[in-house]
Amino acid sequence: MYEQVTEPSTPSDVLTGLPADGQRTATETRVAERFDVDELELTTQAVRLVLDELVNDGYLSRRLVPAPGTPSGFQVFYRRAETDDDALDELRETASASLSSSADDSGDSDEESASAAEQTAETTTDSPATMNLDPSTLEPGTVIEDRYRLEQALGGKSETSVWRATDTETSHAVILKLATGDGADLVRNEAAILRKLQETELAETLPAVIAEYERENGAILVKEVIEGMTLEELVETEGGLADDEVVYILEELTDIVATCHANDIIVQNLLPEDIILQPDGTVSLVDFDIAIDLAGSGPILHPQTPYTPPEVGEKREEMDEPIGAASDVYQLGLVGIFLRVGTLPQDRPEQGLSPVDYGRESAIGSVLERATREPVADRFDSAIVFHRRIRAQWE
């Protein structure tokens, strides 16, 4: 599970305090030369900080809306709530101060950055050979492998912790997964599956593996940050989505899952909190630790969640069906229900679920109903078939 923030896709009045284009460009060039970063990187960070503050404090709302002129067909837009300009200016100043502080902390040169990292390591870093990866012992500021400084805990399980961190050598944000015991096997499994999928057309959609580390008591995975909003955050902000928004997201998502199936991978972890909608409309999956490579030898586990299909859930012994592509189809169907209804219903009728059963009309209601049927043989047998039926019903 990852906390994400979005950036604006169109100009808005929240940015009126920034310099004019020519002055801003010149300033960014000087900052880039000083801190050795991309010219727009610090400006982008400032925008994200401002928008995050405004949304959290209720000054802005977010919404996914159609944008035919864009490659994806959708954009994340921000709407300004009624408030006073003084409050907005105060938030801008706060975000600007935070960004300046972060830049100062990074140092004015590579030498200062190395010195800061060394000072942190002296107080918070264990020797790599004996590093304790127990989630309960980790805290912000800890430096892992003399390089990655933990910034924000994003969740995890009993033997696994997930952190947003800073690569002190590049100043880039990364995601770290640190695990012990059986959790270490899942981290290794995720790394192997992501590396396999990097050889497919999903290379630009899924998080890239940056590094892997083996420790005596566990394993560490470093991977790319995917910025955006989780589907869970999107629904929490807006409630049930419009039908065209649901169709767009499901089409993008079924394309990803279909490619996984074509490469003998069952995702098994299609949860709204692990599906990211990026600012440009790209949909991405960010968690593959329990994915199953049918051609590999990784662990096969079936954690129980509200999205677990019945054949590997509470009716596993009764149904006696192996997990397969239709299991992912079931989860995809539940994600569609969640997006349209605004919540995931607790009941699981054998004949499947439709948004209309919960007061929400949908042109693809019958498609979602079939995808979520209990008997495996009654569902669509693959993500690509599910995708085609969505498209046919919508058109």
Side-chain angles (χ1 to χ4, degrees):
M1 179 175 178
Y2 302 86
E3 284 193 15
Q4 306 283 347
V5 294
T6 56
E7 57 187 279
S9 51
T10 61
S12 83
D13 56 0
V14 82
L15 301 180
T16 54
L18 293 177
D21 286 345
Q23 182 181 346
R24 182 168 66 240
T25 300
T27 301
E28 287 164 356
T29 301
R30 290 196 299 272
V31 170
E33 291 173 350
R34 180 181 179 191
F35 292 107
D36 191 27
V37 296
D38 180 81
E39 291 186 6
L40 293 178
E41 184 172 339
L42 291 182
T43 300
T44 299
Q45 291 178 23
V47 169
R48 287 174 181 162
L49 284 169
V50 170
L51 290 173
D52 193 37
E53 290 283 355
L54 294 177
V55 172
N56 288 340
D57 289 352
Y59 297 114
L60 289 180
S61 63
R62 294 176 285 206
R63 185 164 183 81
L64 175 69
V65 299
T70 64
S72 66
F74 279 84
Q75 290 283 6
V76 177
F77 279 76
Y78 292 80
R79 179 179 302 166
R80 180 177 175 178
E82 291 297 327
T83 185
D84 58 85
D85 291 336
D86 290 342
L88 291 174
D89 290 339
E90 182 180 347
L91 285 171
R92 290 191 189 105
E93 292 173 4
T94 300
S96 178
S98 297
L99 181 62
S100 298
S101 175
S102 297
D104 290 341
D105 288 344
S106 68
D108 291 346
S109 65
D110 291 340
E111 181 178 352
E112 290 186 12
S113 295
S115 176
E118 182 179 355
Q119 182 177 1
T120 303
E122 288 177 356
T123 58
T124 62
T125 304
D126 294 330
S127 167
T130 60
M131 182 179 298
N132 190 347
L133 301 181
D134 184 340
S136 65
T137 67
L138 301 174
E139 59 184 17
T142 301
V143 176
I144 305 297
E145 297 296 328
D146 294 326
R147 178 168 179 172
Y148 305 102
R149 185 175 63 250
L150 302 184
E151 306 289 358
Q152 181 183 16
L154 301 178
K157 306 176 181 70
S158 60
E159 296 179 309
T160 305
S161 57
V162 183
W163 288 78
R164 189 180 180 106
T166 298
D167 183 338
T168 59
E169 291 189 9
T170 66
S171 298
H172 292 160
V174 295
I175 295 295
L176 254 67
K177 275 195 169 183
L178 309 99
T180 59
D182 293 337
D185 290 335
L186 296 180
V187 165
R188 297 181 188 106
N189 181 63
E190 178 168 14
I193 285 178
L194 283 174
R195 289 192 184 281
K196 181 175 182 178
L197 292 174
Q198 285 298 309
E199 302 300 319
T200 72
E201 58 266 36
L202 298 180
E204 300 301 319
T205 303
L206 305 181
V209 174
I210 297 173
E212 300 172 65
Y213 298 93
E214 286 293 333
R215 302 267 47 90
E216 291 181 1
N217 62 335
I220 303 168
L221 169 62
V222 186
K223 61 181 182 178
E224 178 188 12
V225 172
I226 300 293
E227 301 286 6
M229 295 177 67
T230 69
L231 297 190
E232 184 176 61
E233 291 171 334
L234 187 64
V235 169
E236 285 178 353
T237 302
E238 302 297 336
L241 304 185
D243 224 19
D244 56 351
E245 296 172 344
V246 176
V247 168
Y248 170 75
I249 291 172
L250 281 180
E251 286 190 321
E252 294 289 300
L253 194 53
T254 51
D255 271 349
I256 295 173
V257 177
T259 300
C260 291
H261 290 173
N263 287 274
D264 298 320
I265 292 172
I266 306 301
V267 180
Q268 202 190 187
N269 203 29
L270 293 162
L271 308 178
E273 61 262 36
D274 293 325
I275 303 168
I276 303 294
L277 178 66
Q278 298 183 52
D280 66 355
T282 300
V283 175
S284 181
L285 293 176
V286 296
D287 193 353
F288 285 84
D289 60 355
I290 62 168
I292 299 172
D293 186 348
L294 299 177
S297 57
I300 298 180
L301 300 175
H302 307 300
Q304 302 302 294
T305 75
Y307 292 82
T308 300
E311 62 269 22
V312 292
E314 60 182 14
K315 296 191 176 182
R316 182 175 183 176
E317 293 185 3
E318 176 185 337
M319 295 180 68
D320 193 27
E321 291 274 2
I323 192 168
S327 303
D328 280 350
V329 167
Y330 183 88
Q331 290 194 320
L332 287 167
L334 289 184
V335 169
I337 296 292
F338 170 76
L339 293 175
R340 185 69 179 113
V341 176
T343 186
L344 183 64
Q346 294 184 357
D347 52 325
R348 297 288 185 274
E350 184 174 334
Q351 71 274 18
L353 298 169
S354 173
V356 71
D357 299 331
Y358 306 94
R360 299 300 297 269
E361 295 294 333
S362 175
I364 61 168
S366 61
V367 181
L368 296 176
E369 185 177 65
R370 181 172 175 181
T372 55
R373 290 177 182 173
E374 181 178 298
V376 175
D378 290 349
R379 301 175 206 153
F380 305 114
D381 60 6
S382 68
I384 190 62
V385 174
F386 187 23
H387 177 101
R388 290 170 181 165
R389 293 299 178 87
I390 291 172
R391 175 48 44 191
Q393 194 74 16
W394 183 249
E395 292 177 345

